Amino acid sequence: MSVLPDWYRAVDVAGLPVTLGIEILELSETRVVATMPVDARTRQPFGILHGGASVALAETVASFGATAVIDRERYVAVGQEINANHLRPKLDGVVRATGVPVHVGKSSQVWSIEIRDEAGKLVCISRCTMAVVEKRG
């Protein structure tokens, strides 16, 4: 069962999350959960989950989490820095990312994201810094 706020339901989700098959399952100010398939869209040429796909999943989770916290009429949260440690190969199936805030400030946020396989084994751990900036024009 998904737990999504009304404002998210109104977002026209497009671009990379759609291309990679990322699905947001839970979204609040304190936790974001999303899944992504490990398939032809997200594997690298040697048949395992592409590190860039994991990073895209992590930043998607952090972006929506940061957006949940801010005044969405006045501000936008954008990725400022991200790192990732790829710990275990994943050949197929689905990965699940869980993000939680480490720091929520006025102009920046830091989110920690764990990406796990179906057995709960850690595939990747990431930290993403989000800048909170005023909307333009």
Side-chain angles (χ1 to χ4, degrees):
M1 178 177 168
S2 72
V3 181
L4 302 172
D6 290 338
W7 67 264
Y8 175 78
R9 295 178 197 282
V11 172
D12 181 21
V13 178
L16 194 57
V18 171
T19 300
L20 298 180
I22 295 171
E23 183 180 352
I24 304 292
L25 303 179
E26 181 183 332
L27 173 56
S28 73
E29 295 182 3
T30 59
R31 180 174 142 107
V32 180
V33 178
T35 59
M36 182 178 70
V38 180
D39 60 18
R41 297 171 290 179
T42 59
R43 283 192 292 256
Q44 44 97 306
F46 301 105
I48 61 174
L49 177 61
H50 195 294
S54 294
V55 170
L57 174 59
E59 187 162 339
T60 299
V61 164
S63 294
F64 279 114
T67 299
V69 177
I70 62 175
D71 175 353
R72 291 175 295 282
E73 298 295 319
R74 194 166 161 209
Y75 298 98
V76 63
V78 296
Q80 186 172 23
E81 189 275 337
I82 189 165
N83 68 38
N85 294 101
H86 308 291
L87 305 172
R88 171 177 280 105
K90 180 78 171 123
L91 303 175
D92 56 20
V94 175
V95 289
R96 175 183 292 260
T98 302
V100 295
V102 175
H103 166 76
V104 176
K106 212 172 159 182
S107 62
S108 70
Q109 298 181 26
V110 178
W111 284 74
S112 178
I113 304 96
E114 291 185 351
I115 300 174
R116 295 180 179 271
D117 66 12
E118 297 93 338
K121 292 181 180 175
L122 199 55
V123 172
C124 176
I125 188 160
S126 179
R127 187 183 63 235
C128 186
T129 301
M130 303 298 298
V132 178
V133 297
E134 283 199 71
K135 285 185 174 180
R136 296 184 182 172

